[in-house]
Amino acid sequence: MRLPVMSGVATGAVAIALHSLFQGGAWFWTSLGIILVVTGIGVLATRYTLPYWLVPPAQLTAVWIYLTAVFAGSQAWALAVPTKDSVLRLAELAADGFADIQRFAVPVPSTSGITLLTCSGVGLVAICVDFLAVRLRRAALAGLPLLSLFVVPASFLDDPLGWWVVVLGALGFLGLLVADGRERVGHWGRTVLVRRAPSFVAPRPADDPSALRLSGKRVGFTAIALAILLPALLPTLEPDPLFGFGVGSGKGGSGSAISFPNPVANLRRELSLPANSTVLTYLTSDNSPRYLRLYSLDVFDGEQWTMTKPVGRAEDRTSAGPLPPAPGQGPGVPAAQVTTRITVSEEVEDLKFLPLPYPPGTIRIDGDWRPDRETLMVFSHSDTAGGASYEVVSAEPRPTAAMLKAAGPAPEAVRERYLPLPDGLPSEIRRLAEEVTGEGATPYEKAILLQEFFTTKGGFTYSLATQGHDGSALADFLLRSRSGYCEQFAASMAVLARVLGIPSRVAIGYTGGGSVSGRWNVRTHDSHAWPELYFEGAGWLRFEPTPSGPVGQASGSRPPYTYPEVLTDRGAEPSATPSAGSTGADPSSGPSAARRNPALDRDFGGVPLAVDEGVPVAAKAGIGVAAALLVLLVPALLGYGTRRRRRSLYSREAAPGRESGPASEAAEPAGVTAVRAEHGRTAAAVTAAWADLDDALCDYGMAREPSESPRALARRLVRQYGFDAEAAASVTRIAAAVERLLFARAPGAAGPLTEDVRRVRRALAATASRGRRIRAVLLPPSTLLRIRAAGARILDGFDRLGNIRLRLPARRDA
């Protein structure tokens, strides 16, 4: 019975690794139920010796009934027996689950469809583990299906699995192997655990047979400990691939299929990567940073922002000449022509969209790249951007505040595409948009007030800990928590802008990065989302609601036309084109200035903002060495703590008023109780002093014979190691106190033992070699033996769990 139970325990322990993929615990309890069902069928099959080939079909049938009862009980007969309607319901939920997985970012909500798929997968893994470990008696091979449960979170998460998750899974698999070994050995007879009563005087014999029994488990537990601790102490190398976009599908130009990602699901992954690696570098003709856009999200369905499938026409190829004109950009708005030369890192994989400043005009790049006319996203169905170098010429609009205030209404086609909102949008969000922008007279002024609400007036904070982008997360961000990262800020401002009748969309790409020797470096932590708002004549303009600088997106910056000063009538508008002198010192002068971002300096009063360069490898190695030294000092600290605790016991024994004897007993109101309490304190003090002496003998390599009495031990130590008079008297007093405690009716007063123990330890240390004394301080053998004994007790606890047997009624033959 033990082996099928441990198969279920191992599956449950490893399945806990999935917890970081979900919101809430509904998935866990439902999966636990399916594990119990599979384990129960396995136990019954083992008890009644069913043929091994019949067990998996029986477990699959039980799983089907369980899923029907949980997810489609109302369509089933007697709430559990599958029917045609229940099968259709399960199929519908499975389809919904696959769709939800594509829509939501990790951690996903525990919807019925996602929970159904998760439970089905865990159930199949449990059946495979039971079949391999119990039916075929190949417990080691059962690790393969268990490993698949670890692979799932490792594929979707960038942060490593928690150490406790790995330890639980490893212990589960180790327990399965131990159960398999015990089943095999059990054919020779039942294992008997022998416990020896501890002796006050005699040490534990060295030939204890339990050492052989525990050796295999010690190897397993040591391997787990090393697997957890060593990676934490070693410096890390480069991260996994820089990009791991989610899956999706769409249509490119001329009917060519193109896979495009879920940008929102990937954004937080880029921001939370442990290493801040370079994604691309670029040069600009005016030596100023540029936001580089990858995707344009134009559809908000109440749960998330998504993008309409881009269409790339053959006649619009970048090699054919300039791109189509930017939507909404008219000749009356001044524009500055800027040339940007971009080089994407070769480590970037499967990126089929080009990072570009908006709006791109002419792109010089090899390959078949095509723009989407409505959004000017540039993509390819045959080429990737990794390792590519290309040049972009763009005509950036430089509108003044007066121009934007006087902008006319957007065309009907723009309004139809970029104003729709779901019917279920909370009314509180609509009221919030009106309250925040009540002072604005024009759409442009309302947009400025929205941005100020997020950056300065609304009490928002930047935090990567906030996750989710569905409707409930949007309401929580705007109305309650007001804490999130760029996704929440950009999505929320775009929604509020649509509430106010301003066409909006969400762009995802990269901020300008940091300058190094005149070249701008864009890193993974520069991944960013921002809203784009439409104004007739100027077209789509970038706004920046996300806090910048040290408290937010480090390399973010506001465009000049979005500063709140444009709302005041001072007779002069802010300069549309910042002068070169306004950026401060030359970015290429000096090592510290090499990492300065002129746009950030304008935003924060000229204070340079450092770019996170990551922890140097030498520093990581130093941290690892320091951590290793701390681990090595653990036995010394434990030994010191044990001696200090014991000293507190035998140093208090000589306190005034603590003497025992007839006079003390007569003076106590409750004589018998007082005498017993006094005897207990004396016994604790003498026991602590003797334990300290015993540890000293062990630490300095001096054996104590099992048959030696305390008095005989004292005489031998004095004679063998040549104790002086004081040390001889001290060890004699300690031995006498121990003998009185062991054999006398009343132990009497022990007197102060602190100096006696200290004097004996110094005498023993004087006879030991220098290496032995150093070891006694840093790696005291007595402490190591206690650690070993504690581990043995823990492993014995697993033995007791393994000896639990399920008592089922015996089968009776007719």
Side-chain angles (χ1 to χ4, degrees):
M1 301 296 178
R2 182 186 300 111
L3 198 53
V5 171
M6 286 308 301
S7 297
V9 171
T11 305
V14 177
I16 294 177
L18 302 175
H19 81 283
S20 54
L21 298 178
F22 301 94
Q23 299 175 5
W27 71 273
F28 172 76
W29 298 112
T30 315
S31 299
L32 180 61
I34 211 168
I35 292 173
L36 292 176
V37 168
V38 173
T39 303
I41 298 298
V43 169
L44 293 175
T46 302
R47 172 64 179 172
Y48 294 104
T49 60
L50 292 182
Y52 74 92
W53 54 268
L54 189 59
V55 178
Q59 290 172 328
L60 285 173
T61 303
V63 166
W64 185 14
I65 295 175
Y66 174 82
L67 294 177
T68 300
V70 173
F71 295 98
S74 59
Q75 287 84 18
W77 182 72
L79 301 179
V81 180
T83 62
K84 178 181 178 182
D85 292 337
S86 68
V87 172
L88 294 177
R89 176 57 179 165
L90 292 179
E92 179 183 353
L93 287 177
D96 292 342
F98 279 112
D100 289 342
I101 290 174
Q102 302 299 320
R103 292 166 51 207
F104 292 109
V106 174
V108 299
S110 296
T111 63
S112 298
I114 292 177
T115 305
L116 171 64
L117 294 178
T118 304
C119 294
S120 302
V122 172
L124 290 176
V125 170
I127 293 173
C128 292
V129 172
D130 181 87
F131 182 72
L132 292 172
V134 184
R135 314 305 151 194
L136 299 183
R137 303 305 300 272
R138 298 291 186 269
L141 287 180
L144 294 178
L146 292 175
L147 183 62
S148 65
L149 291 177
F150 271 121
V151 171
V152 173
S155 301
F156 286 93
L157 298 174
D158 302 291
D159 295 332
L161 295 175
W163 64 269
W164 63 272
V165 174
V166 179
V167 168
L168 280 179
L171 289 178
F173 182 56
L174 183 60
L176 179 61
L177 296 179
V178 171
D180 179 67
R182 292 177 65 86
E183 287 283 342
R184 296 176 186 275
V185 176
H187 293 295
W188 301 347
R190 185 172 180 178
T191 303
V192 178
L193 297 178
V194 179
R195 294 291 182 270
R196 298 178 181 270
S199 172
F200 187 83
V201 177
R204 186 174 182 175
D207 58 349
D208 190 343
S210 63
L212 180 61
R213 174 177 53 81
L214 295 173
S215 60
K217 285 180 285 185
R218 284 176 180 153
V219 171
F221 278 81
T222 302
I224 295 173
L226 292 177
I228 297 298
L229 294 177
L230 284 183
L233 300 178
L234 297 176
T236 57
L237 301 177
E238 290 298 320
D240 287 337
L242 299 177
F243 290 86
F245 289 121
V247 295
S249 62
K251 293 293 181 181
S254 303
S256 300
I258 174 175
S259 297
F260 67 88
N262 181 343
V264 175
N266 181 73
L267 176 60
R268 187 176 186 275
R269 174 186 183 275
E270 296 296 316
L271 290 173
S272 58
L273 280 175
N276 195 14
S277 302
T278 298
V279 177
L280 58 88
T281 61
Y282 67 94
L283 292 169
T284 58
S285 56
D286 59 359
N287 199 30
S288 295
R290 294 291 185 281
Y291 275 41
L292 303 175
R293 191 189 64 165
L294 278 168
Y295 313 107
S296 177
L297 314 184
D298 59 325
V299 177
F300 181 65
D301 60 6
E303 294 184 343
Q304 65 176 346
W305 283 89
T306 57
M307 63 181 180
T308 302
K309 296 179 181 179
V311 176
R313 296 176 173 84
E315 61 270 22
D316 292 337
R317 288 189 180 98
T318 57
S319 58
L323 273 62
Q329 187 171 341
V333 175
Q337 186 168 342
V338 179
T339 301
T340 307
R341 296 178 179 86
I342 302 173
T343 301
V344 182
S345 171
E346 294 182 354
E347 297 183 29
V348 175
E349 297 180 355
D350 300 327
L351 181 59
K352 292 185 175 295
F353 287 72
L354 291 181
L356 297 169
Y358 186 84
T362 301
I363 304 177
R364 300 181 180 90
I365 185 174
D366 295 332
D368 184 6
W369 295 90
R370 308 179 185 186
D372 176 77
R373 288 192 175 186
E374 296 295 329
T375 62
L376 295 186
M377 292 185 293
V378 177
F379 61 94
S380 175
H381 60 274
S382 58
D383 299 297
T384 59
S389 296
Y390 51 97
E391 181 179 277
V392 185
V393 179
S394 53
E396 297 181 352
R398 301 291 177 85
T400 63
M403 295 176 182
L404 296 176
K405 290 178 184 179
E412 185 62 26
V414 174
R415 298 175 63 86
E416 288 180 357
R417 178 171 179 178
Y418 296 102
L419 280 182
L421 288 170
D423 296 333
L425 188 69
S427 58
E428 294 89 346
I429 294 179
R430 297 182 182 273
R431 286 198 300 269
L432 178 66
E434 298 293 342
E435 293 172 2
V436 169
T437 61
E439 299 178 359
T442 66
Y444 172 66
E445 292 174 346
K446 293 179 181 292
I448 297 296
L449 290 172
L450 277 182
Q451 179 175 269
E452 289 303 301
F453 169 66
F454 287 105
T455 55
T456 58
K457 299 179 180 179
F460 288 86
T461 57
Y462 184 90
S463 172
L464 284 177
T466 304
Q467 303 183 32
H469 47 264
D470 57 12
S472 60
L474 175 67
D476 180 74
F477 173 73
L478 283 173
L479 304 175
R480 288 176 289 276
S481 70
R482 297 196 173 181
S483 176
Y485 61 106
C486 56
E487 175 198 335
Q488 280 83 21
F489 284 95
S492 299
M493 182 170 175
V495 169
L496 294 182
R498 290 194 177 188
V499 169
L500 299 172
I502 306 173
S504 63
R505 63 192 185 189
V506 174
I508 292 182
Y510 298 95
T511 62
S515 177
V516 178
S517 301
R519 177 180 291 273
W520 296 93
N521 280 4
V522 175
R523 299 173 179 268
T524 50
H525 289 182
D526 295 319
S527 298
H528 193 46
W530 62 91
E532 292 180 338
L533 276 57
Y534 182 89
F535 297 94
E536 184 64 22
W540 291 98
L541 298 179
R542 173 176 69 88
F543 283 75
E544 186 52 273
T546 305
S548 303
V551 296
Q553 182 73 22
S555 53
S557 63
R558 298 185 191 179
Y561 51 81
T562 65
Y563 282 87
E565 288 78 6
V566 299
L567 299 182
T568 62
D569 291 324
R570 299 182 180 177
E573 302 291 350
S575 173
T577 308
S579 62
S582 66
T583 63
D586 183 3
S588 62
S589 60
S592 61
R595 290 190 292 269
R596 293 182 63 174
N597 186 327
L600 295 181
D601 289 350
R602 289 196 300 271
D603 285 350
F604 294 91
V607 179
L609 302 178
V611 176
D612 180 12
E613 300 291 346
V615 181
V617 175
K620 292 181 180 179
I623 294 173
V625 172
L629 292 177
L630 288 177
V631 172
L632 293 177
L633 288 177
V634 167
L637 296 175
L638 291 177
Y640 174 77
T642 301
R643 290 193 301 272
R644 186 180 180 88
R645 176 176 52 82
R646 290 171 179 167
R647 192 177 300 120
S648 67
L649 294 175
Y650 56 73
S651 63
R652 292 198 303 262
E653 179 61 22
R658 303 286 293 278
E659 294 83 10
S660 63
S664 177
E665 295 174 19
E668 290 286 345
V672 176
T673 303
V675 170
R676 288 178 179 175
E678 186 66 29
H679 289 177
R681 288 191 293 268
T682 301
V686 174
T687 302
W690 183 254
D692 255 4
L693 177 59
D694 196 34
D695 280 357
L697 293 173
C698 178
D699 293 342
Y700 296 119
M702 301 169 184
R704 179 164 62 89
E705 299 298 331
S707 60
E708 270 186 322
S709 66
R711 184 178 302 179
L713 174 65
R715 287 199 301 265
R716 182 174 64 82
L717 293 178
V718 172
R719 182 178 62 255
Q720 182 175 352
Y721 298 107
F723 283 8
D724 57 23
E726 291 184 348
S730 294
V731 73
T732 301
R733 277 194 293 270
I734 295 174
V738 172
E739 286 191 337
R740 286 198 303 271
L741 180 62
L742 289 174
F743 305 115
R745 181 176 181 180
L753 298 176
T754 305
E755 289 300 325
D756 289 333
V757 174
R758 186 177 292 119
R759 193 176 292 118
V760 173
R761 286 188 67 93
R762 285 200 299 264
L764 293 175
T767 63
S769 63
R770 178 180 299 178
R772 177 72 69 174
R773 292 197 300 270
I774 294 175
R775 181 187 177 188
V777 173
L778 298 180
L779 293 172
S782 59
T783 302
L784 296 179
L785 288 176
R786 277 192 292 275
I787 295 175
R788 179 181 178 183
R793 287 193 294 272
I794 293 174
L795 296 177
D796 285 347
F798 282 99
D799 277 339
R800 294 188 182 95
L801 292 177
N803 283 330
I804 296 176
R805 293 179 178 273
L806 299 177
R807 300 295 183 184
L808 297 178
R811 183 182 59 181
R812 296 187 178 184
D813 299 328

